[in-house]
Amino acid sequence: MQYALLIYNQVGDTDTLTPGELEELSREYWALRDDPAVTGGAGLQTPETATTVRLRDGHPLVTDGPFADTKEYFAGFYLAEADDLDAAAEIAARIPALRLGGVVEIRPLLPGD
């Protein structure tokens, strides 16, 4: 079964890290892609780079900024192939965001056509 491992970071979670620590953190994220169970994924730019589209009176309204201002933000995801939720959780537990106060949400993908 395929699972999305949705990574939510805390705002400012890396502000106090040194350049060396940031580099090591990046290496850890890339190393997860070496796991054969991880079939894809991507990091996202920070929320202030977002553009939001809403429908108002039947017309799209495009605004700068994220959907909501929160303490946590959607920072990226991995796609993983796992036999069950426990196996997906083992992969999720290795995501560095957890050590920095972040959260990983595990969601099964809908079956494809």
Side-chain angles (χ1 to χ4, degrees):
M1 174 168 248
Q2 287 189 308
Y3 293 90
L5 310 177
L6 308 175
I7 304 165
Y8 293 89
N9 285 353
Q10 294 284 327
V11 172
D13 61 351
T14 60
D15 290 353
T16 61
L17 298 180
T18 67
E21 290 170 327
L22 288 171
E23 189 175 314
E24 176 58 31
L25 190 65
S26 181
R27 278 195 295 271
E28 287 182 61
Y29 276 106
W30 282 106
L32 280 166
R33 298 290 294 269
D34 293 335
D35 185 325
V38 176
T39 60
L44 302 173
Q45 292 192 21
T46 56
E48 47 284 345
T49 66
T51 300
T52 303
V53 179
R54 294 177 171 84
L55 201 58
R56 295 279 190 222
D57 299 321
H59 301 284
L61 173 65
V62 180
T63 56
D64 291 337
F67 170 70
D69 186 25
T70 63
K71 293 190 304 184
E72 294 176 341
Y73 64 95
F74 182 46
F77 65 95
Y78 288 103
L79 295 177
E81 186 73 39
D83 290 336
D84 54 32
L85 179 60
D86 290 337
E90 287 178 19
I91 297 167
R94 296 179 10 226
I95 296 175
L98 297 174
R99 290 194 320 272
L100 300 172
V103 175
V104 176
E105 179 181 343
I106 303 170
R107 304 229 346 234
L109 273 59
L110 291 171
D113 292 326

